[in-house]
Amino acid sequence: MHARRGRFPETFVHFCIFYCPFKSWNGRSKKKGEMATMEGANSGQAYPERFYAAASFAGFDGSLDSNNKDIGSGFSNDVALILYALYQQATVGPCNVPKPSSWSPLEQSKWKSWQQLGNMVPTEAMRLFVKILEEEEPGWYSRASNSVSEPVIDVQMNHNSNVEPIIENRNSFSETKTISAENGSLVETRDKDVVSEGLGSIVVYDKWILPPISGQRPKARYQHGAAVVQDKMYIYGGNHNGRYLGDLHVLDLRNWTWSKIDAMIEPKSVELSYPVNIAPCAGHSLIPWENKLLSIAGHTKDPSETIQLKAFDLQTGTWSMLNTYGNAPVSRGGQSVTLVGNTLVIFGGQDAKRTLLNDLHILNLETMTWDKIDAVGVPPLPRADHAAAVHAERYLLIFGGSSHATCFSDLHVFDLQAMEWSRPTQQGEIPTPRAGHAGVTVGENWFIVGGGDNRSGASETVVLNMSTLAWSVVASVEECVPLASEGLSLVVGSFNGEDILVSFGGYNGYYNNEVNVLKPSHKSTLQSKMMVTPVPDSVSAIPNATNPTRDLESEFEVGHEGKIREIVMDNVDVGHQKIEGDETTESIIATLKAEKKELEALLSKEKLQSLQLKQELAESKTQNTDLHKELQSIRGQLAAEQSRCFKLEVDIAEHRQKLLSMETLRKELDLLQRQKAASEQAALNAKRRQGSGGVWGWIAGNPPENADNI
């Protein structure tokens, strides 16, 4: 164990007094030997047995002469003193013994450390004891449970490690040696040997390791999609040697076994009338939603005009196309897709014509409706292969990416409520420009892995505290390893109850199919809470962007070359601290209770509003169903009317034809009547001439023709 140099033990005790109220922890006070359940700060559920195991591991065996043990052995002075004080508080109770009359500085310090804990309950003392030991020795429990009697010495993580390069899959990666004591001599074991026994034997935080992979590995690739559902990591698509891939693989994070999924394709989607074509793609995004994996956008051999949305049903094992409504964005690849509630936020990317984009669209997954955002403020420059994350379900963060010739390291924030872009000031060590990197969030911490700037790969794994916008470095690797690749994937999984980061694939001159795992120690969101909580003058809370389980001495160091801002504790007189300690603790507790009530009221209000919105949505759906039925009825009536109208038009045409025939007959009748009238008139005239011609003929001397016959 490496001894760490710390400040005065009094300051450390003062820190514990003010620190512990910010950690919620349920339990009940117990006497030694009583079975009480305790909730640990970082290790989930803890029990009294865990405390006694930790005490035994630290050298407190519970004997009556524990007071006289050399508590400085293996720990720095401040850590040893607070462990002693917490052990006494947990097993004996508050310090009621008189101040030592001897002038031994050690005895004076031990008594003072114990006495300053005041009336801290034993369960809280147990929790802090286990927490501090885990921060000092992250792997103590596995070594204690394996009955390791000899101390184990670990080299410092990622710093000053004895590293030897190993060549695998045509890439070199660093292999850290773990030095353990065996039979009084030091022996060297490689991480690879430890990994072969399973991840359970790995106790190092913030260190990339190679898990013991079995099964058929997927083809090496980059620009693929990755997602985790129920301790299984799914890999879909990607690019290999310029060819788009369409295969689907799953890695079981419980036994680290690869399997290939022989997915089926629905001949017709539920909402589509044409056959489904699931084309291989790269540069897409894979998002878990309900019992499906959603593949959004991406480059394909024959690109469509707009973004396509594919869904893989994890229960039926089938791919299908989802129909969307509204104005769908133009098809693209290299975009970022972020799940915010029940919506997907899509930003940027590169379309099929290599045009870079910086537009912003939202897809509502409940209504499957697209909506383009008309934002205010200055948006990021058009880019692709960037990383995006959401903080507090409101702020969308965009980092890095590239244009056709430039890589970026800028950070932009989009307020999803105000619909406004901003470019905040970054703190800490700002990462180098990069594109093709991958990012995931754990709490309020945003981890960024990989990427490159067209010249070299980004070898540092960095983390951004999204509350303070402060960067810090988590781990470093060689530039030639897959972790420094472009187009790799990064997901958050769980192993033995702890979060782990899992990376896969990438391209760094070679296509990779390697799996790497990192167990992050950045878990706590305490600093963001302290930043907005009023505290007394004796405690100054400054936004913190570093590892909450970092070396305990860094809790008291201010600035650290201006890169990291820590929680600063005033080094005031110990007696003055003792007097104000209880009042300060009560003030902080009262403040937290008031804040809790306010948050509960806001939560109730939000729940009520959510319930109202759900009711309105249900009513809208019901109304929509009724309107749809009414529309169908009206359409049926309209079809019947159209049929009747058509029949009427046919009848009208027939009647018109008959009318035309009748008109012709009428004309013929008129002609016949005129002819008849003319004939009759002619006959009448002739008869008249005959009648009148006989009389006048006698007068004129012209007898009629038949006169001779008379």
Side-chain angles (χ1 to χ4, degrees):
M1 182 182 301
H2 295 281
R4 296 182 174 91
R5 183 176 301 173
R7 295 202 175 198
F8 298 101
E10 294 85 354
T11 306
F12 193 91
V13 176
H14 192 205
F15 160 74
C16 286
I17 293 175
F18 292 110
Y19 180 84
C20 59
F22 290 94
K23 286 289 185 180
S24 62
W25 184 60
N26 299 321
R28 58 186 178 90
S29 59
K30 60 175 282 299
K31 297 180 181 180
K32 186 174 180 181
E34 182 181 353
M35 302 297 292
T37 301
M38 299 180 294
E39 178 182 350
N42 294 326
S43 58
Q45 295 294 325
Y47 298 89
E49 289 82 3
R50 190 176 183 89
F51 162 72
Y52 290 118
S56 177
F57 181 85
F60 299 91
D61 55 9
S63 61
L64 295 176
D65 61 346
S66 291
N67 281 353
N68 299 322
K69 295 181 71 67
D70 184 7
I71 62 174
S73 176
F75 296 98
S76 59
N77 291 336
D78 51 359
V79 175
L81 286 173
I82 190 58
L83 288 177
Y84 164 81
L86 291 172
Y87 178 80
Q88 293 296 105
Q89 192 81 6
T91 56
V92 179
C95 180
N96 295 321
V97 299
K99 185 176 181 179
S101 57
S102 64
W103 290 98
S104 171
L106 178 60
E107 294 300 323
Q108 293 279 347
S109 298
K110 289 166 61 178
W111 179 86
K112 189 178 297 183
S113 298
W114 183 13
Q115 190 263 348
Q116 287 181 26
L117 293 181
N119 295 322
M120 179 185 292
V121 295
T123 51
E124 181 70 2
M126 290 183 181
R127 183 188 70 82
L128 283 175
F129 187 98
V130 175
K131 176 182 181 296
I132 292 171
L133 182 62
E134 287 181 346
E135 291 176 344
E136 290 293 311
E137 289 291 333
W140 74 269
Y141 190 71
S142 61
R143 294 198 288 267
S145 60
N146 291 331
S147 301
V148 179
S149 58
E150 295 293 333
V152 178
I153 306 172
D154 294 332
V155 296
Q156 292 181 350
M157 295 179 291
N158 308 319
H159 299 287
N160 302 323
S161 301
N162 190 358
V163 179
E164 293 183 0
I166 294 178
I167 306 299
E168 181 172 316
N169 191 24
R170 304 173 69 183
N171 293 293
S172 65
F173 58 90
S174 302
E175 192 164 0
T176 306
K177 297 178 180 179
T178 302
I179 306 174
S180 60
E182 181 176 347
N183 299 327
S185 61
L186 294 179
V187 296
E188 297 178 352
T189 60
R190 298 184 180 273
D191 280 347
K192 196 169 183 179
D193 297 331
V194 178
V195 170
S196 64
E197 299 175 2
L199 281 179
S201 60
I202 303 299
V203 296
V204 179
Y205 286 87
D206 299 336
K207 182 70 178 179
W208 287 104
I209 62 171
L210 292 169
I213 299 296
S214 60
Q216 182 180 359
R217 294 173 181 252
K219 180 182 293 185
R221 67 192 68 199
Y222 81 122
Q223 292 184 341
H224 51 277
V228 169
V229 179
Q230 296 180 350
D231 294 329
K232 292 183 178 181
M233 180 178 71
Y234 294 86
I235 299 295
Y236 168 63
N239 191 321
H240 180 84
N241 289 333
R243 298 182 61 184
Y244 297 133
L245 304 175
D247 51 348
L248 180 64
H249 300 262
V250 59
L251 176 64
D252 194 324
L253 301 180
R254 294 165 296 186
N255 53 26
W256 302 97
T257 302
W258 278 111
S259 301
K260 183 178 181 181
I261 299 177
D262 295 327
M264 298 180 293
I265 299 177
E266 290 184 357
K268 291 183 179 180
S269 177
V270 176
E271 300 181 355
L272 299 180
S273 59
Y274 51 86
V276 176
N277 180 23
I278 307 299
C281 61
H284 53 287
S285 302
L286 198 64
I287 304 294
W289 172 253
E290 295 179 344
N291 62 336
K292 296 181 177 64
L293 295 175
L294 303 181
S295 176
I296 303 99
H299 296 299
T300 58
K301 184 178 180 180
D302 298 316
S304 59
E305 293 183 359
T306 59
I307 284 182
Q308 299 296 307
L309 185 63
K310 298 178 287 188
F312 180 77
D313 194 313
L314 294 172
Q315 294 180 352
T316 62
T318 57
W319 281 104
S320 62
M321 298 292 294
L322 298 181
N323 196 12
T324 59
Y325 308 94
N327 188 15
V330 65
S331 64
R332 65 193 69 195
Q335 73 293 324
S336 62
V337 179
T338 309
L339 181 63
V340 183
N342 61 348
T343 61
L344 294 178
V345 183
I346 291 89
F347 172 76
Q350 185 179 31
D351 65 13
K353 298 179 181 179
R354 291 181 52 81
T355 301
L356 292 167
L357 307 168
N358 66 344
D359 52 349
L360 199 60
H361 299 264
I362 288 182
L363 175 63
N364 189 311
L365 293 176
E366 291 186 349
T367 62
M368 287 297 171
T369 304
W370 287 103
D371 187 17
K372 183 177 181 180
I373 298 179
D374 295 326
V376 298
V378 180
L381 293 175
R383 65 190 64 201
D385 300 326
H386 51 279
V390 63
H391 176 53
E393 295 293 311
R394 175 175 177 177
Y395 302 101
L396 178 71
L397 286 76
I398 303 293
F399 171 73
S402 68
S403 63
H404 292 306
T406 305
C407 292
F408 305 109
S409 62
D410 50 355
L411 178 67
H412 298 263
V413 176
F414 181 73
D415 191 330
L416 292 168
Q417 293 184 7
M419 298 297 178
E420 182 178 5
W421 283 106
S422 63
R423 186 173 179 180
T425 302
Q426 304 179 63
Q427 308 293 333
E429 278 190 60
I430 300 177
T432 57
R434 64 190 66 194
H437 47 288
V440 293
T441 59
V442 179
E444 64 177 15
N445 297 295
W446 187 18
F447 292 86
I448 302 291
V449 177
D453 58 1
N454 297 325
R455 293 184 299 272
S456 61
S459 59
E460 293 181 336
T461 299
V462 296
V463 60
L464 174 70
N465 185 300
M466 293 185 288
S467 293
T468 63
L469 297 181
W471 291 98
S472 58
V473 177
V474 177
S476 297
V477 297
E478 298 294 330
E479 291 185 358
C480 56
V481 305
L483 285 164
S485 301
E486 297 185 21
L488 77 169
S489 62
L490 185 68
V491 296
V492 178
S494 176
F495 188 82
N496 287 342
E498 293 190 90
D499 293 325
I500 56 174
L501 307 184
V502 185
S503 74
F504 172 77
Y507 177 78
N508 59 352
Y510 298 100
Y511 295 92
N512 302 295
N513 63 350
E514 191 173 277
V515 176
N516 289 272
V517 177
L518 179 140
K519 183 162 59 174
S521 57
H522 295 63
K523 298 177 182 177
S524 175
T525 58
L526 171 66
Q527 278 68 37
S528 64
K529 296 178 182 177
M530 295 183 65
M531 184 173 60
V532 297
T533 303
V535 294
D537 295 337
S538 60
V539 183
S540 176
I542 300 178
N544 191 348
T546 59
N547 181 357
T549 57
R550 59 195 173 275
D551 293 344
L552 296 177
E553 61 186 0
S554 64
E555 298 285 356
F556 315 107
E557 295 180 358
V558 184
H560 192 58
E561 300 179 358
K563 298 178 182 178
I564 303 175
R565 293 179 291 177
E566 303 289 346
I567 300 175
V568 182
M569 298 298 173
D570 294 335
N571 187 16
V572 296
D573 181 73
V574 177
H576 185 64
Q577 295 176 10
K578 171 68 171 64
I579 295 173
E580 295 185 353
D582 294 339
E583 296 179 358
T584 305
T585 304
E586 293 177 357
S587 174
I588 294 174
I589 292 175
T591 302
L592 289 177
K593 287 182 178 179
E595 183 181 356
K596 178 184 177 182
K597 290 182 179 179
E598 182 179 356
L599 291 175
E600 289 177 348
L602 291 175
L603 180 60
S604 300
K605 184 178 179 181
E606 291 295 333
K607 287 183 177 179
L608 180 60
Q609 184 177 3
S610 176
L611 181 60
Q612 293 176 351
L613 291 175
K614 287 182 178 179
Q615 292 177 350
E616 293 177 1
L617 180 61
E619 292 175 358
S620 299
K621 289 183 177 179
T622 303
Q623 185 178 4
N624 186 30
T625 303
D626 295 339
L627 291 174
H628 181 73
K629 292 180 180 179
E630 185 178 353
L631 178 61
Q632 294 297 329
S633 177
I634 293 174
R635 284 179 176 175
Q637 295 176 8
L638 180 60
E641 291 295 328
Q642 287 178 342
S643 177
R644 193 168 67 87
C645 182
F646 177 74
K647 292 180 180 180
L648 291 174
E649 289 177 351
V650 172
D651 293 341
I652 290 172
E654 292 177 353
H655 288 303
R656 283 180 178 176
Q657 188 66 31
K658 291 179 180 180
L659 287 174
L660 290 175
S661 300
M662 291 178 65
E663 183 68 20
T664 303
L665 292 173
R666 187 183 65 81
K667 289 180 180 180
E668 292 179 357
L669 180 61
D670 290 343
L671 179 61
L672 291 174
Q673 288 177 348
R674 286 195 298 270
Q675 291 176 354
K676 179 181 179 182
S679 298
E680 291 177 350
Q681 186 65 35
L684 181 62
N685 291 337
K687 186 176 181 181
R688 286 177 179 176
R689 283 196 300 270
Q690 290 177 0
S692 61
V695 175
W696 291 103
W698 288 105
I699 297 173
N702 293 323
E705 295 177 357
N706 56 357
D708 294 337
N709 297 327
I710 300 173

